[in-house]
Amino acid sequence: MSHEVETDEASCLVVAGAALRWDELETRLGSTGLTLSYLVDAAPNRTIGQTLGAPEWLPTLWPAHTSRAACEALEASGHDGRRYASVVAPRTSSGPDIRAFFMGSGGRFGTVTRVWLRAERRGPVRWLRAPEGVDAGRLRGWLVDHVSVVTLHADALGFVARVRLGTRVADCALEAAAELGLEDGTPAERRWQPRVVVTAPWPERIVMVEGRQLLGAGPTHVAVGFDASTGAEVAWSAAREFATSQGGPVRCFGDLGEVSAPEPPGVEDLGMRAG
Amino acid sequence: MTGVVAALAPHLSSGARVVAGEGERALYSRDCWPYLGLLARAGQPSLRPPDAVVFPANEEDVIATVRWCADAGVPLVPVGGGSGVTGAAVPVHGGVAIDMKRLDALDLSMAESGLVCAGGGWVGARLEHELNRNGLTLGHFPSSILCSTLGGYVATRSAGQLSSRHGKIEDMVVSVRFVDPAGVVRRTWTGAWDTTQLLVGSEGTLGVVLDAWVRVEPQPVARRYRGFACSSVEAGLEAIREIVQSGARPAVVRLYDEFDTYISGARKAAEPAREPGRMAAAIGRWAQDRVDAAAAKKHALRAANALLGRTMGATIALNRLAGRVHDESLLILGVEERTEALADAQAEDVFAIARRTLRDLGTAPGEHWYENRYAVSYKMSPLIGAGLFVDTMEVATRWTNLVSLYDAVKRALEPHVFVMAHFSHAYATGCSIYFTFAGFGVDDEACIERYRATWETAMAAVAGAGGAVTHHHGIGLMKARGLEDDHAGGKPLFDAFKSAVDPSSLLNPGKLWHTTEPFL
């Protein structure tokens, strides 16, 4: 996999080799008018390929700000050496999304080698921190109203909102944020670590408890991570217990990397095997 | 055929129906693909009709039907509203067509989280009406909303007219519950690998959609629509690009090229849209006025058609003339938000950018478009009745390739058909182009041949210019050849998945990568 980077600034597209780490890519973009800093899952210590290959934390619900949602096109290589390439276009309805074999499947069907990512125009942003115990319903409503200029990131302390400035809508978002009690706050460094993840519809309250970490949020779902450093079985057990207590469409999976874990469901159900 | 009815009916509930009448079989042998209309006009039989049609009353009937078909080795084709325009729901190998429109359960228990679970049989307009009663919207407004279903949206990877604000169907669907070809009920988005995006767009080849969890939003109550005159298509596109890349979120972005601006005639609310059908009829009446009615009345229609044919036959000249009848392009911009304050803020952002380089025409053009946004789909019939063929092609590409794609397709099609276009479904990275073309042949056979040659030329032009061959109409039978262009090397992956999920090729056989009767 290459480490090349090209940009099509007029189309807000960044073309990058999947072996690049996100922090390397953002550094290389520093001299351009584009940035990928809005992506909520771009952990600095992970490569683009690792992130795209891993299960998605949040469902791809527009305008989700995850690397998968930002992936306009990709090239990949299967285990048998066959190559795949999607057309570079903002959207197609050409049957099933074949890219889904490579994104989120944990490398079962091949490896992403090159990606076209939707970037933002570089410009002023402001970071706001949501206080612990913030009303989840109001926070969600704020995100839904202003989702074109607000992305909700998460770090060890809770939610951190990134507001893209320069529009009247952004001004409205900041006014509403003040009413919510959001304050200026710099995000702590995000680093990927092994965990089991439960993605569930927004709860009534955002509660931070020991062993859980908020990973992110979209307009309909929050993602909660269960630390697997003390053992995958323990993490799976806690996660499944949490998942069964939620309503609506809930997803539970392991983003464990080298940590051994039971085979996730889904692939087995469909009788699919890799290679 | 009556054998299918007699064998299947005992497996279904008393509320279900299984029929094999000639009328139903003919109805379910087609969708809204214009090619099938040309065949019918020519008196040619449609592609092979189903042997029977099932109307399940509930999901147990659906499961029973799938299992019976699997046991009997009978193909099964799921059907929603039948409004597709590519032949996706046409049963190429006969078998059973299953009409899903009675599966219309609705679970609103998670609505506060912005999620509802809706049966695949909901007709779009009915579902939207029911959601509106609860202060919600799905935000999905295809022009076929009156005759298409949620299951069909999922199966064809559809998009609505306000998609720049609300997203497309793949952006709305969280999880799909479906019956697999073995008759087992499964759900996507359960484990590590999210298979939702493999089922979305599968056009009935991988599963029969029962229901789906979809994202909903508070219903917008504030709308701001305006029209702008653009000195050129390029000027309009540049304004659109700046708008969507600024972070603004317009609901509607719709730029008509010069002749489509003339045809749409949407500059003033009081001025009716100029319809291609009316133009054709007007030309025909002009011809009739110049024929001795008493002596040649029986030949009047043939004369009108001949005149029309000569006019339509000079396609290059007509296309070049069309480019000169109007020197401005019309851009429609619309904003929809939950509150007046938010709508004002979005409108201020969107319209300010447009006013920098474009001429503000006020609210009338935008509001006129909004009031008539579903009418355009029903204007093709007069043209087909007049002996023409009409069709549309929606493609997409990135901004830096957009004008090249537009020029390439127009240049390729001009010798064959009359062509115009509008640009919509705008993204930060690119845009969709929606071409409309009309052509003529001296007789039905020539008409069909020119229609086929037009599509052959169009698809080649799009692929050659690096565009996606379909933005939201799907593949069906018409565009199967374009799959390799949009997903180079994708066939082995689809084959492996299809073989694992549907080893007997039960569901909608002969489609997508396994098209056995390709149109091109």
Side-chain angles (χ1 to χ4, degrees):
Chain A
M1 290 187 283
S2 75
H3 290 69
E4 296 173 355
V5 176
E6 299 169 25
T7 58
D8 176 355
E9 290 205 37
S11 302
C12 281
L13 281 172
V14 173
V15 189
L20 268 174
R21 289 203 324 263
W22 289 105
D23 54 352
E24 293 172 334
L25 177 57
E26 191 62 22
T27 299
R28 301 267 290 268
L29 292 178
S31 60
T32 72
L34 303 177
T35 179
L36 291 165
S37 61
Y38 73 101
L39 296 178
V40 300
D41 60 348
N45 63 330
R46 283 207 110 181
T47 67
I48 299 170
Q50 285 173 327
T51 307
L52 286 177
E56 173 81 281
W57 293 344
L58 297 170
T60 308
L61 298 180
W62 185 86
H65 304 292
T66 60
S67 55
R68 183 189 298 191
C71 180
E72 192 101 326
L74 62 83
E75 291 176 355
S77 179
H79 295 299
D80 56 3
R82 285 176 171 151
R83 299 192 63 79
Y84 165 78
S86 65
V87 65
V88 181
R91 201 246 187 191
T92 85
S93 62
S94 304
D97 189 351
I98 301 293
R99 300 174 307 165
F101 281 106
F102 303 101
M103 294 197 294
S105 62
R108 286 179 173 83
F109 304 102
T111 307
V112 176
T113 55
R114 194 166 175 231
V115 298
W116 281 253
L117 296 166
R118 184 187 76 241
E120 253 186 21
R121 295 214 166 278
R122 194 176 292 278
V125 300
R126 192 166 151 193
W127 291 91
L128 302 172
R129 182 167 294 285
E132 187 175 334
V134 65
D135 184 292
R138 290 183 64 203
L139 182 64
R140 178 183 170 272
W142 178 70
L143 173 63
V144 169
D145 281 343
H146 305 288
V147 69
S148 64
V149 294
V150 174
T151 51
L152 276 191
H153 300 244
D155 59 21
L157 303 179
F159 280 129
V160 185
R162 177 185 182 275
V163 182
R164 184 182 176 189
L165 304 179
T167 61
R168 271 292 296 139
V169 172
D171 295 338
C172 291
L174 292 176
E175 290 166 14
E179 293 173 11
L180 265 178
L182 305 188
E183 301 169 340
D184 285 322
T186 307
E189 187 185 53
R190 294 169 288 154
R191 296 193 73 79
W192 181 86
Q193 60 189 34
R195 61 196 148 218
V196 179
V197 180
V198 176
T199 306
W202 275 76
E204 291 184 6
R205 296 172 58 222
I206 305 293
V207 177
M208 298 295 295
V209 299
E210 189 175 349
R212 299 183 193 176
Q213 180 191 25
L214 282 170
L215 297 178
T220 60
H221 286 75
V222 295
V224 179
F226 293 79
D227 184 14
S229 58
T230 57
E233 297 253 0
V234 172
W236 275 109
S237 176
R240 287 190 190 283
E241 185 180 337
F242 175 72
T244 55
S245 68
Q246 305 302 303
V250 177
R251 185 170 168 221
C252 180
F253 60 89
D255 185 19
L256 304 178
E258 299 301 317
V259 177
S260 63
E263 179 73 18
V267 175
E268 282 183 274
D269 289 348
L270 292 168
M272 290 291 292
R273 286 291 179 266
Chain B
M1 287 156 270
T2 52
V4 171
V5 175
L8 176 54
H11 297 268
L12 307 178
S13 70
S14 59
R17 289 175 55 222
V18 188
V19 298
E22 191 175 338
E24 287 95 346
R25 292 177 60 232
L27 185 62
Y28 285 83
S29 71
R30 56 190 305 117
D31 60 10
C32 293
W33 184 16
Y35 175 62
L36 300 178
L38 297 181
L39 290 179
R41 190 179 71 189
Q44 297 179 21
S46 298
L47 298 171
R48 187 178 169 191
D51 300 312
V53 183
V54 176
F55 300 88
N58 49 50
E59 65 181 56
E60 286 71 28
D61 286 336
V62 177
I63 296 167
T65 302
V66 174
R67 289 179 180 172
W68 182 88
C69 287
D71 291 341
V74 172
L76 180 66
V77 180
V79 180
S83 61
V85 294
T86 63
V90 171
V92 176
H93 295 289
V96 172
I98 181 167
D99 186 314
M100 301 296 290
K101 286 194 287 292
R102 295 168 76 185
L103 266 73
D104 59 358
L106 186 63
D107 180 352
L108 296 170
S109 62
M110 302 297 298
E112 283 197 14
S113 290
L115 296 164
V116 302
C117 187
W122 275 99
V123 171
R126 280 190 59 231
L127 176 61
E128 184 64 20
H129 177 76
E130 188 61 28
L131 291 174
N132 290 169
R133 288 194 332 116
N134 290 274
L136 303 169
T137 181
L138 178 61
H140 198 62
F141 305 101
S143 55
S144 62
I145 194 172
L146 298 168
C147 52
S148 51
T149 63
L150 178 63
Y153 302 155
V154 171
T156 57
R157 194 172 279 271
S158 64
Q161 293 176 345
L162 276 59
S163 71
S164 300
R165 164 71 168 78
H166 297 286
K168 283 67 177 175
I169 192 63
E170 69 271 20
D171 304 315
M172 300 167 181
V173 174
V174 174
S175 168
V176 181
R177 198 166 64 98
F178 63 101
V179 184
D180 79 5
V184 177
V185 177
R186 300 192 185 279
R187 178 179 290 287
T188 65
W189 204 67
T190 52
W193 184 35
D194 179 6
T195 50
T196 305
Q197 298 304 324
L198 289 176
L199 203 74
V200 175
S202 60
E203 301 191 5
T205 61
L206 299 177
V208 182
V209 176
L210 293 175
D211 56 45
W213 279 99
V214 293
R215 167 180 63 87
V216 293
E217 301 175 67
Q219 185 184 4
V221 296
R223 295 190 171 91
R224 309 283 187 268
Y225 279 78
R226 293 189 87 83
F228 293 85
C230 314
S231 58
S232 65
V233 165
E234 288 79 359
L237 289 175
E238 191 56 28
I240 295 172
R241 186 175 72 87
E242 188 172 351
I243 287 169
V244 292
Q245 291 181 354
S246 72
R249 192 172 62 166
V252 173
V253 177
R254 209 166 178 95
L255 173 68
Y256 297 86
D257 71 6
E258 289 86 354
F259 198 70
D260 210 342
T261 296
Y262 177 74
I263 290 292
S264 69
R267 297 167 65 89
K268 302 173 186 177
E271 186 180 324
R274 299 180 189 87
E275 300 177 4
R278 288 186 185 176
M279 284 179 62
I283 294 173
R285 284 195 298 273
W286 180 86
Q288 286 181 326
D289 287 343
R290 281 149 182 78
V291 173
D292 182 345
K297 197 169 186 180
K298 63 179 179 179
H299 300 297
L301 182 60
R302 186 182 298 174
N305 283 347
L307 175 66
L308 181 61
R310 290 196 192 97
T311 305
M312 296 303 297
T315 50
I316 290 182
L318 196 61
N319 279 311
R320 299 289 158 81
L321 179 64
R324 286 166 174 77
V325 297
H326 212 270
D327 57 3
E328 285 187 320
S329 296
L330 173 66
L331 173 62
I332 302 292
L333 293 172
V335 163
E336 295 195 346
E337 292 294 342
R338 187 180 60 83
T339 66
E340 298 288 340
L342 276 172
D344 286 339
Q346 280 284 0
E348 191 174 326
D349 290 334
V350 171
F351 298 152
I353 294 173
R355 289 188 185 111
R356 286 181 207 156
T357 54
L358 311 178
R359 185 159 56 88
D360 192 338
L361 298 173
T363 59
E367 290 174 355
H368 178 75
W369 175 84
Y370 186 81
E371 293 302 318
N372 295 279
R373 64 195 185 282
Y374 296 134
V376 66
S377 298
Y378 305 97
K379 294 179 179 176
M380 284 190 179
S381 296
L383 284 166
I384 295 177
L388 301 170
F389 67 80
V390 187
D391 209 344
T392 57
M393 180 177 72
E394 22 61 80
V395 301
T397 192
R398 60 198 183 284
W399 285 110
T400 46
N401 193 44
L402 195 65
V403 173
S404 298
L405 176 61
Y406 170 69
D407 287 342
V409 173
K410 282 205 74 175
R411 206 162 39 242
L413 289 183
E414 277 179 347
H416 306 286
V417 291
F418 177 57
V419 57
M420 59 189 181
H422 70 258
F423 301 80
S424 57
H425 303 285
Y427 306 78
T429 54
C431 193
S432 170
I433 313 174
Y434 197 91
F435 292 98
T436 301
F437 50 80
F440 185 85
V442 295
D443 54 31
D444 286 330
E445 191 175 327
C447 203
I448 290 170
E449 193 45 48
R450 175 159 282 198
Y451 176 85
R452 192 187 295 273
T454 297
W455 272 104
E456 181 102 39
T457 302
M459 296 279 286
V462 173
V469 298
T470 174
H471 177 266
H472 58 271
H473 283 177
I475 291 292
L477 290 169
M478 187 167 67
K479 297 185 180 180
R481 201 181 75 171
L483 278 169
E484 185 62 23
D485 295 318
D486 281 6
H487 296 288
K491 187 175 188 304
L493 290 159
F494 180 81
D495 284 350
F497 194 63
K498 174 75 170 173
S499 296
V501 174
D502 186 12
S504 303
S505 201
L506 173 80
L507 291 180
N508 208 6
K511 297 291 175 60
L512 290 182
W513 296 96
H514 298 161
T515 298
T516 51
E517 297 185 25
F519 172 63
L520 298 176

